[in-house]
Amino acid sequence: MSYSIDGISFTNTTGIFNNLAAGNYTVWVKKSDCISDTSKAVILPQPIKPDAGLDKVIYLPISSTVLTPNPLGGTWAVSTGNIFSSSINNSGTVSGLNNAGGYNFVYSLNTCSDTAKVTVICTKPTLTLGNIKCEGSTYSVAFYSSTPNISPSAGTISGDRIINIPTGTNLSVKASNGTGCETVLDVISPEPCDSSCEFSNLYVGQPICKGTTYSVSYKVDIGTITSNAGTVYGDSIVNVPIGTYLVVTATNTIGTAICNVHIAVPSPESCLNECTNPGVSISGPICSGNNTFSVNYNLVSGASITTNFGVISNSKISNIPLDKTLIITVKKLGCADKQISVLPPTNCTPPCSSNAGTDKIVVLPVNTTTLTGTPTGGLWSALASNAHSSNINSSGVVTNLNTAGDYYFMYKVGTCSDTVKVTVICTKPTLTLGNIRCEGSTYSVAFYSSTVNISPSVGTISGDRIINIPIGTNLSVKASNGSGCETVLDVISPEPCDSSCEFSNLYVGQPICKGTTYSVSYKADIGTITSNAGTVYGDSIVNVPIGTYLVVTATNTVGTAICNVHIAVPSPESCLNDCTNPGVSVSGPICSENNTYSVNFTKQNDASISINYGAIVDSKITNIPTSKALIITVIKPGCVDKQIVVNPPTNCVMPCKTICVPISFRKL
């Protein structure tokens, strides 16, 4: 059998006709060549199935979209299976998409329905903090972000700054693109937050993912950058392990004040979704020359940036006009574009030309120097953080540098300033004591030194002698090149101090360092030399351990009288600084023949001496005319030369030429 709906074509053998439009139809049935019957059929129009339209993808902080169905005229409803709440009206406007995730919406028409899905993706905002300023009992911080939704844990937002943060209180700043879609940076309260510090202008951007590590961009004007993790590389901290809380510190040292600012970076939780985490970390702005400013940036792989102003080169955007806001657009394939606005820094001034000059070194006893600042007309001041007091006038003349150490001075021209350091070095003076004389109820001691600042504990200075020292009272003599830069030798009162004794004319010089031991030079005309430590070697006492109080004794026996003179040597405190401790120890003078005198010396291995008179033989200077003062110049590499003046001995007489015959052989 065959079937036809037009009575002509009987090609259908199943009796089923497909894809017919709505209407009235007659069906003919044919068996062989005969048409056996007809039947009437009515096909009604099928209802139109609604289409909810294309699925949508939006990126936080966008929280709404519009769905467009086909045909219009149906109703919309939120699917009951959604995890997060939202709303949709019958115009297809969706709102309240505040959380990342999938949202389904049902469109119904003529008893039929269709579903559209909106996927909300978290793209965390960028955030940069910096320019930390102390303001009395509070401090403030600058910020900028790709979102206006900024929440500080303390303080108040004022323009592009968070102000009134109590000193000692750390700050946490949250930039939000929606619930769970946030970037956080922290500021540790600056230390110390007072006038002694000039802080680095540090900026740090939020982290960007780099595989199993993350990086941040930083920018700073002065100071040293350190971090507790990762590696400081150019203007970035790189290779910070995911999960590590990064602290970036900028340290600026002013005198003895160590001025730190810290910005801390919580780690990204995950780097799996490249679109969730920001593609750029930005730091700055920092004032530049020619009325411009600059910022630094660090990009993830595959990201690129464009800007409305400035020149992009080597992770830096420079030459941005000071009267313009920089807009950075970040593009990454498959992710939504991001825009960050960076306001120009405030109070930018032309580049500072203030120059305090080169650092100076002053060697005690010199206690003054002159600093030269440019351009002229600036103001000089000593930093309050200096460990020791000093003075500087408007001409840059520094005085009262009386103690060894570092002194810092600021030269300020307008709002620009520069700091210079004066290092005062202690070079302890030489000192020699000797020629102890009994004079009735007192005794006297000769001295000479490389300094004129001599202070005896008793007695009175008269020329090159200390006189009127009471018998039985020990003497301590201090030679000073400044506070704490002193050499001391002691004399133990001679015994017995009467006419029964002829004392040795003993001289002892101050100690010189020899590694872990020290040595002194001595010279004596008669008697036997002994010491309580070290070894008597030639005209020196050597190998005295550091820390040992040395007593050098010259003993002359006259009949039954044992006549002792003692000169004592306090040990050097340390032998670490070769230039602080003297390089030579001198003893003498002792009268010689032919109207001459001599002195002994011992010196450090790398020291040398030159003299104005006499001859240097081994460790002795001989043939010095008794009418001349000996000037010894001590030269030591890397140290300041020293000069020691040795006055000739008084009352020198020609050595006796008479042949003295013992009394037992004299003819009575």
Side-chain angles (χ1 to χ4, degrees):
M1 296 180 64
S2 57
Y3 303 89
S4 173
I5 57 173
D6 60 3
I8 300 172
S9 173
F10 288 88
T11 57
N12 188 315
T13 59
T14 63
I16 298 172
F17 294 89
N18 295 314
N19 300 320
L20 298 179
N24 297 319
Y25 291 89
T26 300
V27 180
W28 283 267
V29 181
K30 182 179 180 181
K31 186 176 181 181
S32 299
D33 292 332
C34 298
I35 297 175
S36 61
D37 199 1
T38 61
S39 177
K40 301 291 186 177
V42 178
I43 299 177
L44 299 175
Q46 186 178 16
I48 298 174
K49 182 179 180 181
D51 181 357
L54 298 175
D55 292 343
K56 292 286 188 76
V57 175
I58 65 170
Y59 295 87
L60 291 172
I62 296 171
S63 61
S64 66
T65 189
V66 176
L67 299 177
T68 305
N70 183 39
L72 301 175
T75 59
W76 282 102
V78 177
S79 175
T80 58
N82 288 350
I83 297 176
F84 303 108
S85 63
S86 61
S87 62
I88 186 169
N89 63 21
N90 283 332
S91 298
T93 300
V94 183
S95 57
L97 301 170
N98 298 318
N99 297 277
Y103 297 74
N104 291 316
F105 300 92
V106 179
Y107 182 66
S108 299
L109 180 67
N110 298 327
T111 71
C112 294
S113 64
D114 191 25
T115 300
K117 181 178 181 181
V118 177
T119 300
V120 179
I121 294 176
C122 161
T123 173
K124 292 183 179 180
T126 65
L127 177 62
T128 300
L129 301 183
N131 191 222
I132 300 164
K133 293 180 181 177
C134 287
E135 294 162 345
S137 60
T138 66
Y139 68 98
S140 66
V141 177
F143 71 90
Y144 56 88
S145 175
S146 56
T147 178
N149 302 316
I150 302 297
S151 302
S153 63
T156 306
I157 293 176
S158 176
D160 62 349
R161 296 193 72 80
I162 301 165
I163 63 173
N164 297 329
I165 310 157
T167 299
T169 300
N170 297 337
L171 173 70
S172 186
V173 180
K174 181 189 294 183
S176 176
N177 273 342
T179 304
C181 191
E182 298 147 345
T183 297
V184 176
L185 290 179
D186 300 334
V187 174
I188 299 171
S189 179
E191 49 175 293
C193 213
D194 57 38
S195 59
S196 68
C197 269
E198 179 184 0
F199 289 108
S200 301
N201 188 8
L202 172 68
Y203 281 89
V204 175
Q206 93 297 318
I208 58 171
C209 287
K210 298 274 181 131
T212 59
T213 65
Y214 69 92
S215 303
V216 300
S217 175
Y218 79 86
K219 193 164 180 68
V220 72
D221 56 351
I222 57 174
T224 303
I225 293 294
T226 56
S227 64
N228 66 324
T231 303
V232 178
Y233 181 78
D235 293 319
S236 299
I237 315 292
V238 300
N239 296 328
V240 185
I242 297 295
T244 300
Y245 185 78
L246 174 67
V247 179
V248 182
T249 301
T251 302
N252 187 35
T253 302
I254 304 292
T256 58
I258 299 174
C259 310
N260 290 318
V261 285
H262 316 270
I263 298 178
V265 183
S267 169
E269 294 177 4
S270 169
C271 283
L272 297 179
N273 189 328
E274 290 187 349
C275 291
T276 294
N277 292 294
V280 66
S281 179
I282 303 171
S283 60
I286 294 290
C287 299
S288 304
N290 303 319
N291 293 317
T292 65
F293 68 97
S294 64
V295 299
N296 292 340
Y297 68 89
N298 194 351
L299 286 173
V300 300
S301 178
S304 62
I305 65 168
T306 58
T307 61
N308 60 333
F309 294 106
V311 177
I312 301 171
S313 178
N314 297 324
S315 299
K316 181 179 287 188
I317 306 166
S318 57
N319 294 328
I320 311 156
L322 273 177
D323 59 346
K324 304 295 182 183
T325 296
L326 174 68
I327 299 175
I328 303 171
T329 302
V330 186
K331 297 180 179 291
K332 183 168 173 59
L333 187 64
C335 304
D337 293 352
K338 261 195 192 78
Q339 275 198 343
I340 305 107
S341 295
V342 183
L343 295 173
T346 56
N347 301 322
C348 273
T349 57
C352 279
S353 58
S354 174
N355 187 338
T358 57
D359 292 345
K360 293 287 188 76
I361 294 177
V362 173
V363 180
L364 292 171
V366 175
N367 66 350
T368 182
T369 189
T370 299
L371 302 176
T372 304
T374 56
T376 58
L379 298 175
W380 282 106
S381 62
L383 294 192
S385 57
N386 285 347
H388 308 290
S389 63
S390 60
N391 300 104
I392 186 168
N393 66 17
S394 58
S395 300
V397 177
V398 184
T399 55
N400 294 331
L401 299 168
N402 297 320
T403 305
D406 290 332
Y407 297 74
Y408 294 85
F409 300 92
M410 180 181 291
Y411 186 66
K412 191 169 185 180
V413 180
T415 59
C416 296
S417 63
D418 189 30
T419 302
V420 66
K421 178 173 73 172
V422 177
T423 299
V424 178
I425 296 175
C426 161
T427 175
K428 291 184 178 179
T430 64
L431 177 62
T432 301
L433 300 184
N435 192 221
I436 301 164
R437 295 179 187 169
C438 286
E439 295 164 344
S441 61
T442 65
Y443 68 98
S444 67
V445 176
F447 71 89
Y448 56 88
S449 174
S450 57
T451 180
V452 296
N453 301 315
I454 303 297
S455 303
S457 60
V458 292
T460 306
I461 294 176
S462 176
D464 60 354
R465 296 193 72 80
I466 301 165
I467 63 173
N468 297 328
I469 310 160
I471 297 295
T473 301
N474 296 337
L475 170 70
S476 185
V477 180
K478 181 189 294 182
S480 175
N481 272 342
S483 177
C485 190
E486 298 146 347
T487 298
V488 176
L489 290 179
D490 300 334
V491 174
I492 300 171
S493 179
E495 49 174 295
C497 209
D498 56 37
S499 59
S500 67
C501 269
E502 180 185 0
F503 289 108
S504 173
N505 188 8
L506 172 67
Y507 281 88
V508 175
Q510 92 296 320
I512 60 170
C513 287
K514 298 277 182 115
T516 58
T517 66
Y518 69 93
S519 302
V520 299
S521 174
Y522 78 88
K523 193 166 181 66
D525 56 351
I526 57 176
T528 304
I529 296 296
T530 57
S531 64
N532 67 324
T535 304
V536 178
Y537 181 78
D539 293 319
S540 299
I541 315 293
V542 299
N543 297 328
V544 185
I546 297 293
T548 301
Y549 185 78
L550 175 67
V551 180
V552 182
T553 301
T555 302
N556 186 36
T557 302
V558 179
T560 58
I562 301 173
C563 308
N564 290 319
V565 285
H566 315 272
I567 298 178
V569 183
S571 169
E573 293 178 5
S574 168
C575 283
L576 297 179
N577 189 328
D578 278 349
C579 291
T580 294
N581 292 293
V584 68
S585 178
V586 182
S587 60
I590 295 292
C591 296
S592 304
E593 296 180 351
N594 303 320
N595 294 317
T596 64
Y597 65 97
S598 64
V599 300
N600 292 340
F601 66 89
T602 182
K603 64 180 184 65
Q604 293 176 321
N605 291 336
D606 57 347
S608 61
I609 67 169
S610 63
I611 55 176
N612 61 334
Y613 294 106
I616 300 172
V617 180
D618 296 327
S619 295
K620 183 177 290 188
I621 306 168
T622 62
N623 295 324
I624 312 158
T626 54
S627 61
K628 303 294 184 183
L630 173 67
I631 300 175
I632 304 172
T633 302
V634 185
I635 302 163
K636 187 170 169 59
C639 305
V640 175
D641 293 352
K642 268 195 189 77
Q643 277 198 340
I644 306 135
V645 177
V646 183
N647 288 320
T650 56
N651 302 319
C652 274
V653 295
M654 292 298 293
C656 182
K657 298 296 186 179
T658 303
I659 300 174
C660 299
V661 180
I663 192 169
S664 59
F665 290 95
R666 292 181 185 175
K667 185 176 180 180
L668 297 178

